[in-house]
Amino acid sequence: MYEQVNTGPLYDEVVQWMSTFRSLTARMGGARHSTQVKLDRTLERLGERIDERLNELSDPELTALDCWQDGILPGIYEMDREALMEQPYCSIRKIMRWDEEYDVAERREQLREQDKTPEHVGSKGSEQLRKFLDSFSDDL
């Protein structure tokens, strides 16, 4: 069971930018110095755009998003760069699932009822089965 949050195009844009930011940061470690300089500039601009967009998101959209934190000023949000890089394979979108609670004894009884074998067939059914099997033995 889970609850879906209605999100808009700004939310999708922020998720895409955060994903790009994460992949560019991962590339930064193995790049040459000249490439690192270019990536650093790109990451700085992208980080500023993400921070601006985070402030434009609605509260439900913010709750559906991971890797953000409150800024220095109240009501201002910014990307949590450390959290984004700590979880490189986790989703940027917040996904929370939980099972419905149920009574263990009640569930056990339901499973027993499902596993019950059907009542045995009456004498008429067994006679029909015997005739059917006898028809095969006659052919042999």
Side-chain angles (χ1 to χ4, degrees):
M1 171 180 247
Y2 59 93
E3 179 182 343
Q4 288 184 327
V5 177
N6 293 330
T7 58
L10 290 178
Y11 176 83
D12 294 331
E13 188 176 68
V14 169
V15 169
Q16 182 62 42
W17 286 353
M18 288 176 111
S19 176
T20 302
F21 187 92
R22 183 166 47 191
S23 64
L24 287 176
T25 305
R27 274 187 54 202
M28 185 88 141
R32 295 182 189 164
H33 178 69
S34 59
T35 307
Q36 283 182 353
V37 171
K38 291 176 188 175
L39 286 175
D40 192 39
R41 279 190 232 128
T42 304
L43 286 171
E44 187 176 327
R45 282 180 280 165
L46 187 58
E48 289 172 0
R49 281 193 284 175
I50 292 171
D51 291 343
E52 289 173 7
R53 287 285 192 218
L54 281 174
N55 292 308
E56 296 175 12
L57 294 177
S58 65
D59 288 337
E61 289 176 330
L62 280 173
T63 59
L65 189 65
D66 272 343
C67 304
W68 64 273
Q69 62 186 3
D70 290 320
I72 298 171
L73 299 172
I76 303 294
Y77 308 106
E78 60 186 28
M79 180 175 52
D80 189 0
R81 288 158 175 79
E82 290 85 28
L84 188 65
M85 294 314 295
E86 279 178 11
Q87 307 166 351
Y89 300 107
C90 293
S91 177
I92 294 171
R93 300 170 194 262
K94 187 178 285 186
I95 301 172
M96 296 175 64
R97 294 185 179 99
W98 61 91
D99 294 332
E100 291 183 22
E101 293 183 21
Y102 57 87
D103 184 27
V104 176
E106 183 181 321
R107 181 70 178 148
R108 191 175 296 140
E109 187 62 34
Q110 288 175 351
L111 291 174
R112 283 186 188 143
E113 288 176 11
Q114 288 177 356
D115 290 340
K116 283 185 181 177
T117 56
E119 300 280 334
H120 57 275
V121 180
S123 61
K124 185 176 181 181
S126 61
E127 289 175 12
Q128 290 175 345
L129 181 60
R130 177 63 55 200
K131 288 180 185 177
F132 177 73
L133 292 174
D134 287 341
S135 69
F136 283 115
S137 62
D138 292 339
D139 292 340
L140 295 175

PDB file of all heavy atoms in Angstrom, residues 72-99:
ATOM      1  N   ILE A  72      19.927  28.136   4.786  1.00  0.00           N
ATOM      2  CA  ILE A  72      20.309  28.971   5.920  1.00  0.00           C
ATOM      3  C   ILE A  72      19.148  29.861   6.335  1.00  0.00           C
ATOM      4  O   ILE A  72      18.852  30.013   7.513  1.00  0.00           O
ATOM      5  CB  ILE A  72      21.552  29.822   5.567  1.00  0.00           C
ATOM      6  CG1 ILE A  72      22.719  28.894   5.274  1.00  0.00           C
ATOM      7  CG2 ILE A  72      21.883  30.789   6.675  1.00  0.00           C
ATOM      8  CD1 ILE A  72      23.934  29.587   4.698  1.00  0.00           C
ATOM      9  N   LEU A  73      18.474  30.447   5.364  1.00  0.00           N
ATOM     10  CA  LEU A  73      17.316  31.296   5.642  1.00  0.00           C
ATOM     11  C   LEU A  73      16.056  30.433   5.751  1.00  0.00           C
ATOM     12  O   LEU A  73      15.925  29.433   5.040  1.00  0.00           O
ATOM     13  CB  LEU A  73      17.137  32.330   4.538  1.00  0.00           C
ATOM     14  CG  LEU A  73      18.303  33.302   4.334  1.00  0.00           C
ATOM     15  CD1 LEU A  73      18.064  34.138   3.096  1.00  0.00           C
ATOM     16  CD2 LEU A  73      18.467  34.178   5.564  1.00  0.00           C
ATOM     17  N   PRO A  74      15.120  30.812   6.620  1.00  0.00           N
ATOM     18  CA  PRO A  74      13.887  30.031   6.728  1.00  0.00           C
ATOM     19  C   PRO A  74      13.059  30.109   5.448  1.00  0.00           C
ATOM     20  O   PRO A  74      12.949  31.164   4.833  1.00  0.00           O
ATOM     21  CB  PRO A  74      13.151  30.671   7.914  1.00  0.00           C
ATOM     22  CG  PRO A  74      13.837  31.957   8.190  1.00  0.00           C
ATOM     23  CD  PRO A  74      15.174  31.924   7.551  1.00  0.00           C
ATOM     24  N   GLY A  75      12.483  28.971   5.059  1.00  0.00           N
ATOM     25  CA  GLY A  75      11.654  28.931   3.857  1.00  0.00           C
ATOM     26  C   GLY A  75      12.445  28.785   2.574  1.00  0.00           C
ATOM     27  O   GLY A  75      11.881  28.787   1.493  1.00  0.00           O
ATOM     28  N   ILE A  76      13.755  28.658   2.670  1.00  0.00           N
ATOM     29  CA  ILE A  76      14.616  28.482   1.493  1.00  0.00           C
ATOM     30  C   ILE A  76      15.168  27.057   1.546  1.00  0.00           C
ATOM     31  O   ILE A  76      15.619  26.584   2.583  1.00  0.00           O
ATOM     32  CB  ILE A  76      15.785  29.498   1.494  1.00  0.00           C
ATOM     33  CG1 ILE A  76      15.261  30.936   1.543  1.00  0.00           C
ATOM     34  CG2 ILE A  76      16.698  29.285   0.300  1.00  0.00           C
ATOM     35  CD1 ILE A  76      14.496  31.355   0.307  1.00  0.00           C
ATOM     36  N   TYR A  77      15.138  26.380   0.407  1.00  0.00           N
ATOM     37  CA  TYR A  77      15.593  24.997   0.331  1.00  0.00           C
ATOM     38  C   TYR A  77      16.770  24.901  -0.619  1.00  0.00           C
ATOM     39  O   TYR A  77      16.891  25.669  -1.561  1.00  0.00           O
ATOM     40  CB  TYR A  77      14.462  24.087  -0.147  1.00  0.00           C
ATOM     41  CG  TYR A  77      13.209  24.257   0.659  1.00  0.00           C
ATOM     42  CD1 TYR A  77      12.108  24.922   0.127  1.00  0.00           C
ATOM     43  CD2 TYR A  77      13.125  23.774   1.950  1.00  0.00           C
ATOM     44  CE1 TYR A  77      10.958  25.093   0.859  1.00  0.00           C
ATOM     45  CE2 TYR A  77      11.975  23.944   2.695  1.00  0.00           C
ATOM     46  CZ  TYR A  77      10.887  24.603   2.146  1.00  0.00           C
ATOM     47  OH  TYR A  77       9.762  24.776   2.880  1.00  0.00           O
ATOM     48  N   GLU A  78      17.613  23.894  -0.370  1.00  0.00           N
ATOM     49  CA  GLU A  78      18.749  23.660  -1.261  1.00  0.00           C
ATOM     50  C   GLU A  78      18.997  22.166  -1.375  1.00  0.00           C
ATOM     51  O   GLU A  78      18.523  21.380  -0.554  1.00  0.00           O
ATOM     52  CB  GLU A  78      19.995  24.389  -0.738  1.00  0.00           C
ATOM     53  CG  GLU A  78      20.431  23.970   0.630  1.00  0.00           C
ATOM     54  CD  GLU A  78      21.582  24.809   1.164  1.00  0.00           C
ATOM     55  OE1 GLU A  78      21.711  25.995   0.776  1.00  0.00           O
ATOM     56  OE2 GLU A  78      22.347  24.267   1.959  1.00  0.00           O
ATOM     57  N   MET A  79      19.740  21.810  -2.386  1.00  0.00           N
ATOM     58  CA  MET A  79      20.043  20.417  -2.645  1.00  0.00           C
ATOM     59  C   MET A  79      21.050  19.928  -1.614  1.00  0.00           C
ATOM     60  O   MET A  79      22.024  20.611  -1.301  1.00  0.00           O
ATOM     61  CB  MET A  79      20.609  20.263  -4.061  1.00  0.00           C
ATOM     62  CG  MET A  79      20.961  18.848  -4.430  1.00  0.00           C
ATOM     63  SD  MET A  79      21.480  18.658  -6.148  1.00  0.00           S
ATOM     64  CE  MET A  79      22.742  19.877  -6.322  1.00  0.00           C
ATOM     65  N   ASP A  80      20.824  18.754  -1.079  1.00  0.00           N
ATOM     66  CA  ASP A  80      21.747  18.133  -0.135  1.00  0.00           C
ATOM     67  C   ASP A  80      22.743  17.307  -0.952  1.00  0.00           C
ATOM     68  O   ASP A  80      22.494  16.160  -1.285  1.00  0.00           O
ATOM     69  CB  ASP A  80      20.982  17.262   0.856  1.00  0.00           C
ATOM     70  CG  ASP A  80      21.843  16.764   1.993  1.00  0.00           C
ATOM     71  OD1 ASP A  80      23.048  17.086   2.014  1.00  0.00           O
ATOM     72  OD2 ASP A  80      21.307  16.072   2.868  1.00  0.00           O
ATOM     73  N   ARG A  81      23.874  17.911  -1.256  1.00  0.00           N
ATOM     74  CA  ARG A  81      24.851  17.281  -2.139  1.00  0.00           C
ATOM     75  C   ARG A  81      25.447  16.017  -1.533  1.00  0.00           C
ATOM     76  O   ARG A  81      25.703  15.042  -2.232  1.00  0.00           O
ATOM     77  CB  ARG A  81      25.946  18.288  -2.493  1.00  0.00           C
ATOM     78  CG  ARG A  81      25.441  19.364  -3.446  1.00  0.00           C
ATOM     79  CD  ARG A  81      26.285  20.632  -3.395  1.00  0.00           C
ATOM     80  NE  ARG A  81      25.884  21.614  -4.383  1.00  0.00           N
ATOM     81  CZ  ARG A  81      24.843  22.424  -4.251  1.00  0.00           C
ATOM     82  NH1 ARG A  81      24.075  22.352  -3.187  1.00  0.00           N
ATOM     83  NH2 ARG A  81      24.560  23.300  -5.189  1.00  0.00           N
ATOM     84  N   GLU A  82      25.682  16.018  -0.228  1.00  0.00           N
ATOM     85  CA  GLU A  82      26.259  14.840   0.415  1.00  0.00           C
ATOM     86  C   GLU A  82      25.296  13.648   0.347  1.00  0.00           C
ATOM     87  O   GLU A  82      25.693  12.535   0.044  1.00  0.00           O
ATOM     88  CB  GLU A  82      26.618  15.136   1.884  1.00  0.00           C
ATOM     89  CG  GLU A  82      27.793  16.070   2.063  1.00  0.00           C
ATOM     90  CD  GLU A  82      27.382  17.540   2.000  1.00  0.00           C
ATOM     91  OE1 GLU A  82      26.224  17.859   2.337  1.00  0.00           O
ATOM     92  OE2 GLU A  82      28.214  18.349   1.590  1.00  0.00           O
ATOM     93  N   ALA A  83      24.035  13.905   0.649  1.00  0.00           N
ATOM     94  CA  ALA A  83      23.046  12.824   0.599  1.00  0.00           C
ATOM     95  C   ALA A  83      22.865  12.303  -0.822  1.00  0.00           C
ATOM     96  O   ALA A  83      22.658  11.109  -1.030  1.00  0.00           O
ATOM     97  CB  ALA A  83      21.704  13.306   1.140  1.00  0.00           C
ATOM     98  N   LEU A  84      22.954  13.189  -1.795  1.00  0.00           N
ATOM     99  CA  LEU A  84      22.810  12.788  -3.190  1.00  0.00           C
ATOM    100  C   LEU A  84      23.939  11.859  -3.609  1.00  0.00           C
ATOM    101  O   LEU A  84      23.730  10.896  -4.338  1.00  0.00           O
ATOM    102  CB  LEU A  84      22.772  14.023  -4.095  1.00  0.00           C
ATOM    103  CG  LEU A  84      22.442  13.806  -5.556  1.00  0.00           C
ATOM    104  CD1 LEU A  84      21.013  13.286  -5.693  1.00  0.00           C
ATOM    105  CD2 LEU A  84      22.591  15.097  -6.331  1.00  0.00           C
ATOM    106  N   MET A  85      25.141  12.131  -3.102  1.00  0.00           N
ATOM    107  CA  MET A  85      26.289  11.306  -3.491  1.00  0.00           C
ATOM    108  C   MET A  85      26.451  10.074  -2.593  1.00  0.00           C
ATOM    109  O   MET A  85      27.079   9.110  -2.990  1.00  0.00           O
ATOM    110  CB  MET A  85      27.566  12.136  -3.480  1.00  0.00           C
ATOM    111  CG  MET A  85      27.556  13.228  -4.537  1.00  0.00           C
ATOM    112  SD  MET A  85      27.006  12.687  -6.178  1.00  0.00           S
ATOM    113  CE  MET A  85      28.284  11.535  -6.615  1.00  0.00           C
ATOM    114  N   GLU A  86      25.877  10.094  -1.385  1.00  0.00           N
ATOM    115  CA  GLU A  86      25.946   8.924  -0.523  1.00  0.00           C
ATOM    116  C   GLU A  86      25.119   7.786  -1.083  1.00  0.00           C
ATOM    117  O   GLU A  86      25.414   6.625  -0.855  1.00  0.00           O
ATOM    118  CB  GLU A  86      25.410   9.262   0.873  1.00  0.00           C
ATOM    119  CG  GLU A  86      26.381   9.964   1.759  1.00  0.00           C
ATOM    120  CD  GLU A  86      25.756  10.299   3.107  1.00  0.00           C
ATOM    121  OE1 GLU A  86      24.648   9.805   3.402  1.00  0.00           O
ATOM    122  OE2 GLU A  86      26.380  11.063   3.855  1.00  0.00           O
ATOM    123  N   GLN A  87      24.076   8.104  -1.775  1.00  0.00           N
ATOM    124  CA  GLN A  87      23.148   7.098  -2.274  1.00  0.00           C
ATOM    125  C   GLN A  87      23.150   7.092  -3.801  1.00  0.00           C
ATOM    126  O   GLN A  87      22.161   7.452  -4.423  1.00  0.00           O
ATOM    127  CB  GLN A  87      21.745   7.392  -1.763  1.00  0.00           C
ATOM    128  CG  GLN A  87      21.667   7.556  -0.282  1.00  0.00           C
ATOM    129  CD  GLN A  87      20.348   8.177   0.141  1.00  0.00           C
ATOM    130  OE1 GLN A  87      19.562   8.639  -0.668  1.00  0.00           O
ATOM    131  NE2 GLN A  87      20.113   8.200   1.421  1.00  0.00           N
ATOM    132  N   PRO A  88      24.241   6.694  -4.428  1.00  0.00           N
ATOM    133  CA  PRO A  88      24.291   6.822  -5.886  1.00  0.00           C
ATOM    134  C   PRO A  88      23.325   5.921  -6.636  1.00  0.00           C
ATOM    135  O   PRO A  88      22.987   6.211  -7.768  1.00  0.00           O
ATOM    136  CB  PRO A  88      25.738   6.463  -6.215  1.00  0.00           C
ATOM    137  CG  PRO A  88      26.196   5.647  -5.075  1.00  0.00           C
ATOM    138  CD  PRO A  88      25.460   6.140  -3.878  1.00  0.00           C
ATOM    139  N   TYR A  89      22.875   4.852  -6.014  1.00  0.00           N
ATOM    140  CA  TYR A  89      21.983   3.950  -6.734  1.00  0.00           C
ATOM    141  C   TYR A  89      20.547   4.023  -6.230  1.00  0.00           C
ATOM    142  O   TYR A  89      19.692   3.318  -6.701  1.00  0.00           O
ATOM    143  CB  TYR A  89      22.498   2.513  -6.638  1.00  0.00           C
ATOM    144  CG  TYR A  89      23.864   2.393  -7.238  1.00  0.00           C
ATOM    145  CD1 TYR A  89      24.987   2.231  -6.436  1.00  0.00           C
ATOM    146  CD2 TYR A  89      24.046   2.499  -8.610  1.00  0.00           C
ATOM    147  CE1 TYR A  89      26.246   2.149  -6.991  1.00  0.00           C
ATOM    148  CE2 TYR A  89      25.302   2.425  -9.166  1.00  0.00           C
ATOM    149  CZ  TYR A  89      26.398   2.249  -8.351  1.00  0.00           C
ATOM    150  OH  TYR A  89      27.642   2.176  -8.907  1.00  0.00           O
ATOM    151  N   CYS A  90      20.289   4.879  -5.262  1.00  0.00           N
ATOM    152  CA  CYS A  90      18.929   5.047  -4.743  1.00  0.00           C
ATOM    153  C   CYS A  90      18.178   6.051  -5.610  1.00  0.00           C
ATOM    154  O   CYS A  90      18.771   6.902  -6.249  1.00  0.00           O
ATOM    155  CB  CYS A  90      18.954   5.524  -3.300  1.00  0.00           C
ATOM    156  SG  CYS A  90      19.619   4.285  -2.193  1.00  0.00           S
ATOM    157  N   SER A  91      16.890   5.968  -5.538  1.00  0.00           N
ATOM    158  CA  SER A  91      16.048   6.876  -6.317  1.00  0.00           C
ATOM    159  C   SER A  91      16.049   8.266  -5.699  1.00  0.00           C
ATOM    160  O   SER A  91      16.089   8.421  -4.485  1.00  0.00           O
ATOM    161  CB  SER A  91      14.624   6.334  -6.365  1.00  0.00           C
ATOM    162  OG  SER A  91      13.790   7.222  -7.041  1.00  0.00           O
ATOM    163  N   ILE A  92      16.020   9.259  -6.533  1.00  0.00           N
ATOM    164  CA  ILE A  92      15.916  10.636  -6.067  1.00  0.00           C
ATOM    165  C   ILE A  92      14.483  10.898  -5.608  1.00  0.00           C
ATOM    166  O   ILE A  92      14.252  11.660  -4.689  1.00  0.00           O
ATOM    167  CB  ILE A  92      16.331  11.608  -7.195  1.00  0.00           C
ATOM    168  CG1 ILE A  92      17.823  11.413  -7.488  1.00  0.00           C
ATOM    169  CG2 ILE A  92      16.041  13.049  -6.827  1.00  0.00           C
ATOM    170  CD1 ILE A  92      18.312  12.134  -8.712  1.00  0.00           C
ATOM    171  N   ARG A  93      13.554  10.232  -6.246  1.00  0.00           N
ATOM    172  CA  ARG A  93      12.163  10.344  -5.838  1.00  0.00           C
ATOM    173  C   ARG A  93      11.966   9.502  -4.578  1.00  0.00           C
ATOM    174  O   ARG A  93      12.458   8.386  -4.493  1.00  0.00           O
ATOM    175  CB  ARG A  93      11.234   9.824  -6.923  1.00  0.00           C
ATOM    176  CG  ARG A  93      11.372  10.579  -8.226  1.00  0.00           C
ATOM    177  CD  ARG A  93      10.606   9.847  -9.325  1.00  0.00           C
ATOM    178  NE  ARG A  93      10.956  10.330 -10.624  1.00  0.00           N
ATOM    179  CZ  ARG A  93      10.250  11.220 -11.310  1.00  0.00           C
ATOM    180  NH1 ARG A  93       9.159  11.709 -10.806  1.00  0.00           N
ATOM    181  NH2 ARG A  93      10.636  11.605 -12.493  1.00  0.00           N
ATOM    182  N   LYS A  94      11.264  10.039  -3.616  1.00  0.00           N
ATOM    183  CA  LYS A  94      11.042   9.327  -2.364  1.00  0.00           C
ATOM    184  C   LYS A  94       9.990   8.252  -2.592  1.00  0.00           C
ATOM    185  O   LYS A  94       8.892   8.540  -3.059  1.00  0.00           O
ATOM    186  CB  LYS A  94      10.585  10.275  -1.268  1.00  0.00           C
ATOM    187  CG  LYS A  94      10.506   9.605   0.101  1.00  0.00           C
ATOM    188  CD  LYS A  94      10.099  10.579   1.159  1.00  0.00           C
ATOM    189  CE  LYS A  94      11.267  11.471   1.472  1.00  0.00           C
ATOM    190  NZ  LYS A  94      11.024  12.369   2.591  1.00  0.00           N
ATOM    191  N   ILE A  95      10.361   7.039  -2.279  1.00  0.00           N
ATOM    192  CA  ILE A  95       9.450   5.912  -2.421  1.00  0.00           C
ATOM    193  C   ILE A  95       9.351   5.241  -1.064  1.00  0.00           C
ATOM    194  O   ILE A  95      10.332   4.708  -0.555  1.00  0.00           O
ATOM    195  CB  ILE A  95       9.954   4.907  -3.478  1.00  0.00           C
ATOM    196  CG1 ILE A  95      10.091   5.594  -4.828  1.00  0.00           C
ATOM    197  CG2 ILE A  95       9.029   3.708  -3.538  1.00  0.00           C
ATOM    198  CD1 ILE A  95      10.753   4.758  -5.884  1.00  0.00           C
ATOM    199  N   MET A  96       8.179   5.314  -0.486  1.00  0.00           N
ATOM    200  CA  MET A  96       7.953   4.694   0.813  1.00  0.00           C
ATOM    201  C   MET A  96       6.802   3.712   0.670  1.00  0.00           C
ATOM    202  O   MET A  96       5.699   4.093   0.294  1.00  0.00           O
ATOM    203  CB  MET A  96       7.617   5.762   1.860  1.00  0.00           C
ATOM    204  CG  MET A  96       8.750   6.726   2.097  1.00  0.00           C
ATOM    205  SD  MET A  96       8.310   8.064   3.204  1.00  0.00           S
ATOM    206  CE  MET A  96       7.991   7.163   4.699  1.00  0.00           C
ATOM    207  N   ARG A  97       7.071   2.454   0.957  1.00  0.00           N
ATOM    208  CA  ARG A  97       6.034   1.430   0.885  1.00  0.00           C
ATOM    209  C   ARG A  97       5.865   0.819   2.267  1.00  0.00           C
ATOM    210  O   ARG A  97       6.816   0.668   3.008  1.00  0.00           O
ATOM    211  CB  ARG A  97       6.434   0.337  -0.094  1.00  0.00           C
ATOM    212  CG  ARG A  97       6.516   0.815  -1.509  1.00  0.00           C
ATOM    213  CD  ARG A  97       6.807  -0.349  -2.440  1.00  0.00           C
ATOM    214  NE  ARG A  97       6.863   0.091  -3.787  1.00  0.00           N
ATOM    215  CZ  ARG A  97       7.970   0.355  -4.467  1.00  0.00           C
ATOM    216  NH1 ARG A  97       9.135   0.214  -3.894  1.00  0.00           N
ATOM    217  NH2 ARG A  97       7.944   0.761  -5.714  1.00  0.00           N
ATOM    218  N   TRP A  98       4.672   0.439   2.577  1.00  0.00           N
ATOM    219  CA  TRP A  98       4.429  -0.254   3.827  1.00  0.00           C
ATOM    220  C   TRP A  98       3.319  -1.259   3.603  1.00  0.00           C
ATOM    221  O   TRP A  98       2.440  -1.083   2.783  1.00  0.00           O
ATOM    222  CB  TRP A  98       4.084   0.712   4.957  1.00  0.00           C
ATOM    223  CG  TRP A  98       2.861   1.525   4.721  1.00  0.00           C
ATOM    224  CD1 TRP A  98       1.589   1.213   5.083  1.00  0.00           C
ATOM    225  CD2 TRP A  98       2.774   2.783   4.037  1.00  0.00           C
ATOM    226  NE1 TRP A  98       0.725   2.191   4.683  1.00  0.00           N
ATOM    227  CE2 TRP A  98       1.429   3.182   4.048  1.00  0.00           C
ATOM    228  CE3 TRP A  98       3.704   3.633   3.435  1.00  0.00           C
ATOM    229  CZ2 TRP A  98       0.989   4.360   3.478  1.00  0.00           C
ATOM    230  CZ3 TRP A  98       3.260   4.793   2.879  1.00  0.00           C
ATOM    231  CH2 TRP A  98       1.918   5.153   2.900  1.00  0.00           C
ATOM    232  N   ASP A  99       3.419  -2.329   4.351  1.00  0.00           N
ATOM    233  CA  ASP A  99       2.404  -3.373   4.265  1.00  0.00           C
ATOM    234  C   ASP A  99       1.233  -2.996   5.146  1.00  0.00           C
ATOM    235  O   ASP A  99       1.374  -2.321   6.145  1.00  0.00           O
ATOM    236  CB  ASP A  99       2.970  -4.720   4.730  1.00  0.00           C
ATOM    237  CG  ASP A  99       4.056  -5.215   3.786  1.00  0.00           C
ATOM    238  OD1 ASP A  99       3.991  -4.854   2.600  1.00  0.00           O
ATOM    239  OD2 ASP A  99       4.944  -5.954   4.231  1.00  0.00           O
TER     240      ASP A  99
END
